[in-house]
Amino acid sequence: MSDQAKDERALDEAEKTEAAAEPREGGVDGDYEALVRLLKENEELKDRALRVAADMENLRRRTARDVHDARAYAVANFARDMLSVSDNLRRALDAIPEEAKASGDAGFKALIDGVEITERAMLSALERHGVKKLEPEGEKFDPNFHQAMFEVPNPDVPANTVVQVVQPGYSIGERVLRPAMVGVAKGGPKHVASEAPEPGPVNEQAEKDA
């Protein structure tokens, strides 16, 4: 074999080797790009899964809060209506003259006792369902709990102290069913800041009236 033939053969073999090497290099590049793409997709899926998990946790908390509120305040409207019945029972008792109470009439006394028992039973039933009576005499006036009806000049007590309860209020859970109707002191020293009570429940009825 001549030297020229040998050179041509060596050149052909070199070209074949180079051609064979090119696909392998291209395959490595393709695999790297595919790996990068898969890693990126994996990060996107992980981020999406985290967002979905956070949304589900927020939904769970909102649902739990809604269920709690539904259980706590389901009787709010009914309880508010029953307050007028309790008020009428109290008005009936207050309207009885002291002379009639002291007359000693057995039938009349039994009637009074029956009305008083009915009033106590109703308030007790409301309390079992989370309704509490508000009688804030002597406390600092709080617009979340109380509704001021008038002012009473009294320099002996701090200003804005509740000195008279015209009508007791009622609350249920964190909310006010009806604010207490009160008279507040005027002209006395101001309350010390440290004596201020914690914020009271939201007065939903006042917000509806506004």
Side-chain angles (χ1 to χ4, degrees):
M1 182 180 293
S2 65
D3 292 338
Q4 183 178 357
K6 290 180 180 180
D7 292 339
E8 290 177 354
R9 183 177 179 181
L11 182 60
D12 290 340
E13 291 178 354
E15 289 177 350
K16 291 179 180 179
T17 302
E18 184 178 353
E22 286 178 357
R24 287 198 297 272
E25 291 175 358
V28 171
D29 291 342
D31 291 343
Y32 177 75
E33 291 176 359
L35 178 61
V36 170
R37 185 173 64 255
L38 289 174
L39 290 174
K40 183 178 180 181
E41 291 176 356
N42 182 60
E43 289 297 323
E44 291 176 352
L45 291 173
K46 185 186 296 184
D47 183 63
R48 189 181 304 171
L50 290 174
R51 287 199 300 270
V52 170
D55 290 341
M56 292 301 296
E57 178 62 18
N58 291 334
L59 177 61
R60 186 192 66 79
R61 291 178 179 175
R62 286 197 300 270
T63 302
R65 184 173 63 248
D66 291 343
V67 170
H68 174 270
D69 289 348
R71 289 176 177 173
Y73 306 120
V75 298
N77 291 333
F78 175 76
R80 189 178 291 111
D81 291 339
M82 289 300 98
L83 295 182
S84 61
V85 179
S86 177
D87 291 340
N88 289 334
L89 291 173
R90 175 44 48 186
R91 291 189 188 100
L93 291 170
D94 292 341
I96 301 174
E98 290 298 327
E99 296 81 8
K101 293 180 181 179
S103 65
D105 184 274
F108 195 65
K109 186 177 184 303
L111 175 62
I112 295 174
D113 291 343
V115 175
E116 289 178 340
I117 291 172
T118 302
E119 182 194 30
R120 288 196 299 269
M122 177 173 290
L123 294 177
S124 178
L126 290 173
E127 188 171 352
R128 286 197 300 272
H129 288 84
V131 178
K132 295 182 180 180
K133 193 174 185 179
L134 305 176
E135 293 185 296
E137 186 169 347
E139 300 177 5
K140 181 182 177 182
F141 175 78
D142 186 339
N144 293 310
F145 285 95
H146 319 138
Q147 182 174 339
M149 305 301 294
F150 53 85
E151 291 181 323
V152 179
N154 189 341
D156 297 330
V157 297
N160 289 329
T161 298
V162 176
V163 293
Q164 184 177 347
V165 178
V166 179
Q167 184 183 63
Y170 293 87
S171 66
I172 179 170
E174 300 282 332
R175 303 176 184 176
V176 170
L177 283 174
R178 185 180 73 189
M181 307 294 185
V182 300
V184 296
K186 177 184 178 182
K190 293 183 178 180
H191 279 273
V192 180
S194 60
E195 295 178 355
E198 296 181 358
V202 176
N203 187 343
E204 288 191 336
Q205 189 63 35
E207 291 181 351
K208 291 179 181 179
D209 297 338

